[in-house]
Amino acid sequence: MTLTKPARVRFAPSPTGRLHLGGARTALYDYLIARQSGGQFVLRIEDTDRKRFLPGAEQEFMDALHWLGLQWDEGPDIGGPYGPYRQSERKEIYLQYAQQLVESGHAYPCFCTPERLEKLRSEQQARKQQPRYDGHCRNIPPEEAAARVAAGEPHVIRFKMPRDGSVTCHDLIRGDITYRNDQLDDSILVKSDGWALYHLAAMVDDHLMKITHVLRGAEWLPTFPLHVHVYRAFGWEQPEWVHLSLFLKPSGKGKMSKRDAAELMKDGRSVYITDLRGLGYIPEAVNNWAALMGWSYDDHTEFFTLADLVEKFDIRRLNPSPAAINFSKLDHFNGLHIRHLDQEDLLRRVKPFFEQAGYHPDDATLRKMMPILQPRLKTLDDAPVVAGFFFREEVEPDPQRLVPKKVTPPQALEAAKRLYEVLSALPEVTLESGEQPVRALAEEMGLKAGALFGILREAVTGQAVSPPIFETMEIIGKETVLKRLQHAIEILETMQN
Ligand code: GLU
């Protein structure tokens, strides 16, 4: 069942890093919900952590989302009716709401020094207790606290967590989760520098921006009760909460860390979206892959375009269980989606990969290559590896491979010369004109057809593996084929003693 009532959803990255798979999946689900319900997808930048702020990160997030095709309807770059959409531009709003909580008795200023808090923490650790605030400033009379604040005494604002009872939090895919209040902390809402933390800022914004569904990672489950308490303290209606499944390392053992992510890159894999782009994955495949990490349509359909997903995605079918990241699946989807592309589109996308590899591809040749390249590519990055020889002035065949197994160097030389004769006698080298004579030649020389094709392939492409050799030669053209064969003959001649 898809959503019918217009939903307002937001993707709210902190500009402290780059868009990774987890974030991309959240953004994708947000986008799908907004589009299928006729609602809005909001991009909000949560940049109140000024110490971890990374210049350029906001742009990188936007570029990555654009590449994925997940266009937002409201955001810092395009504005919208509920802006500003950058939390650093909303500082005063949070302070007002913090003040409201203090006045209603749901929050209080805390004047404890960092030294006192540090001492408290180490004592608690020594007693093997969970570190949390001991409530030292909880009961300072409000007038006294207000006077100390007015006098400029450094302080934070903490939430006044009820000491007894429990809170039941409802998650759309996990159901009710009950937490005991005495296990919860008087968390900080506003730091001493006046910047609100997520626990306040995100709640205020979700409310003011009329967000109907909050999709976020399962790492927020421990502070979920705090967020529900904050909503209640304000007397606001809660959104639907959806805590998405965690991603595990490809091995399935544990959560991905930053270090794991860096390690992956050594194997040409990455969880960062802009890396995946550079590695030759296409956004259609990344979306398809990400969508199915935590959601399924049925037990067999796996190919989805973004439009299919908008139509078929069902928030109720999200799976809350952690899932290991499976890169072979990504390769698989990439191949599928590459084969699904229009050939002109593929040409446009693959061309930069040839250029980056140092080739100067021309569109006419690329266009001829697409039919034989398209079924063979796993990533766009494979293209110059598989087919760079099309754009090389000369290829350098491997002398060892010019002499296939069970063939002697004199036989290989003879074969290359005869191939030259046979092909030069043809008006053009094509599959139709060339295959038969080459097979006949193999027979005549008592060679396996595979061995003869192997010599030809090595001579023309300089590779042991290539797209089908006759189609390849047809594109390269007779003249270049003969020139390359001649070069192979010269190499074989030097190998005769
Ligand atoms: N800024 C938070 C983060 O980057 C957003 C979490 C949320 O979506 O609520 O993790």
Side-chain angles (χ1 to χ4, degrees):
M1 216 172 76
T2 52
L3 287 177
T4 44
K5 214 170 129 238
R8 284 183 56 82
V9 285
R10 87 297 190 278
F11 179 54
S14 300
T16 55
R18 300 161 65 198
L19 182 63
H20 55 64
L21 189 55
R25 185 189 57 173
T26 306
L28 172 65
Y29 291 166
D30 282 330
Y31 173 87
L32 299 178
I33 291 172
R35 289 294 164 273
Q36 73 175 203
S37 70
Q40 291 83 35
F41 173 36
V42 177
L43 176 65
R44 183 171 76 217
I45 301 296
E46 302 207 322
D47 55 351
T48 60
D49 189 342
R50 304 314 288 174
K51 281 204 206 78
R52 292 180 59 217
F53 179 80
L54 201 68
E58 177 180 317
Q59 192 55 46
E60 147 97 24
F61 272 99
M62 292 200 198
D63 291 347
L65 290 171
H66 275 141
W67 181 73
L68 288 170
L70 308 178
Q71 180 58 53
W72 49 97
D73 306 303
E74 299 168 28
D77 56 333
I78 51 175
Y82 300 93
Y85 294 93
R86 230 176 249 118
Q87 288 190 329
S88 57
E89 294 163 28
R90 302 171 66 83
K91 192 175 183 185
E92 296 309 316
I93 302 178
Y94 308 131
L95 289 177
Q96 268 171 36
Y97 280 94
Q99 188 54 29
Q100 188 179 320
L101 286 183
V102 170
E103 281 163 19
S104 64
H106 291 99
Y108 60 93
C110 164
F111 304 95
C112 291
T113 59
E115 295 72 33
R116 175 175 189 275
L117 295 173
E118 188 45 54
K119 190 158 161 271
L120 180 65
R121 194 172 306 124
S122 40
E123 284 167 5
Q124 287 169 332
Q125 265 160 3
R127 290 198 296 268
K128 305 243 181 303
Q129 287 171 338
Q130 204 189 322
R132 52 198 263 215
Y133 185 59
D134 62 355
H136 187 73
C137 295
R138 215 174 133 107
N139 296 317
I140 298 176
E143 311 72 52
E144 182 191 327
R148 286 169 70 176
V149 168
E153 190 171 336
H155 66 283
V156 300
I157 307 279
R158 287 183 185 273
F159 189 72
K160 197 169 195 174
M161 188 57 74
R163 283 277 164 85
D164 45 24
S166 61
V167 56
T168 296
C169 306
H170 185 76
D171 178 290
L172 191 75
I173 59 173
R174 294 168 194 262
D176 284 343
I177 313 172
T178 300
Y179 300 78
R180 275 173 47 186
N181 289 335
D182 63 4
Q183 301 292 311
L184 305 175
D185 205 357
D186 281 5
S187 299
I188 297 177
L189 302 179
V190 181
K191 289 186 295 178
S192 55
D193 60 7
W195 283 105
L197 287 176
Y198 174 85
H199 308 313
L200 178 69
M203 304 310 119
V204 167
D205 286 348
D206 287 342
H207 171 72
L208 294 179
M209 296 180 181
K210 298 202 167 36
I211 299 303
T212 59
H213 295 71
V214 170
L215 276 67
R216 56 184 189 176
E219 65 272 19
W220 294 102
L221 280 171
T223 45
F224 186 17
L226 168 64
H227 303 148
V228 169
H229 272 298
V230 169
Y231 262 88
R232 288 190 185 171
F234 281 118
W236 294 336
E237 193 189 332
Q238 289 178 54
E240 293 281 5
W241 302 96
V242 185
H243 292 88
L244 300 170
S245 60
L246 284 180
F247 286 153
L248 305 178
K249 298 182 207 193
S251 64
K253 295 193 188 100
K255 262 186 72 173
M256 280 292 291
S257 68
K258 277 229 166 80
R259 177 126 58 80
D260 298 323
E263 279 295 304
L264 275 178
M265 204 53 190
K266 292 188 193 148
D267 302 326
R269 308 238 186 248
S270 180
V271 290
Y272 295 107
I273 301 306
T274 44
D275 286 349
L276 293 178
R277 164 166 61 181
L279 290 167
Y281 292 98
I282 63 172
E284 291 86 343
V286 175
N287 282 329
N288 195 155
W289 180 52
L292 292 182
M293 263 187 260
W295 173 79
S296 61
Y297 178 60
D298 53 25
D299 58 6
H300 59 277
T301 316
E302 59 165 13
F303 183 89
F304 296 94
T305 63
L306 199 53
D308 294 335
L309 289 170
V310 168
E311 191 190 312
K312 305 212 161 89
F313 179 73
D314 181 353
I315 196 171
R316 290 165 200 84
R317 283 188 62 90
L318 285 173
N319 182 350
S321 320
I325 302 177
N326 182 340
F327 284 102
S328 358
K329 275 254 160 226
L330 174 59
D331 290 341
H332 168 72
F333 283 124
N334 212 55
L336 283 184
H337 281 274
I338 284 180
R339 291 197 276 292
H340 205 249
L341 292 178
D342 174 80
Q343 287 185 359
E344 276 300 305
D345 188 3
L346 179 59
L347 184 159
R348 192 176 46 75
R349 299 200 209 194
V350 91
K351 192 174 177 182
F353 285 85
F354 281 106
E355 288 166 345
Q356 272 153 34
Y359 298 110
H360 303 287
D362 62 286
D363 286 0
T365 308
L366 279 173
R367 199 160 286 130
K368 290 187 210 149
M369 288 162 61
M370 287 307 116
I372 56 171
L373 211 50
Q374 189 166 30
R376 289 178 174 75
L377 292 183
K378 200 176 62 192
T379 63
L380 300 179
D381 201 25
D382 287 343
V385 180
V386 179
F389 64 85
F390 278 101
F391 302 109
R392 265 187 220 130
E393 205 43 54
E394 283 167 6
V395 297
E396 220 25 75
D398 178 321
Q400 307 305 322
R401 289 199 309 246
L402 278 175
V403 185
K405 276 201 205 86
K406 302 206 179 121
V407 173
T408 63
Q411 277 175 316
L413 175 61
E414 177 65 12
K417 286 181 173 167
R418 298 288 303 274
L419 277 169
Y420 190 97
E421 276 168 33
V422 166
L423 297 182
S424 57
L426 300 173
E428 264 177 281
V429 183
T430 64
L431 181 60
E432 292 75 43
S433 68
E435 189 176 6
Q436 203 33 51
V438 172
R439 284 190 187 276
L441 175 63
E443 194 151 327
E444 189 196 321
M445 293 188 67
L447 292 175
K448 286 222 161 90
L452 198 56
F453 285 144
I455 296 171
L456 189 54
R457 182 186 311 276
E458 189 61 42
V460 174
T461 71
Q463 297 178 180
V465 181
S466 79
I469 189 63
F470 283 99
E471 281 98 324
T472 296
M473 292 194 294
E474 189 170 337
I475 297 169
I476 290 184
K478 179 174 159 183
E479 195 187 327
T480 305
V481 168
L482 292 179
K483 211 170 78 193
R484 291 185 183 180
L485 256 177
Q486 181 54 40
H487 182 50
I489 290 169
E490 284 155 19
I491 295 175
L492 283 164
E493 273 167 348
T494 64
M495 293 170 70
Q496 295 307 306
N497 330 318

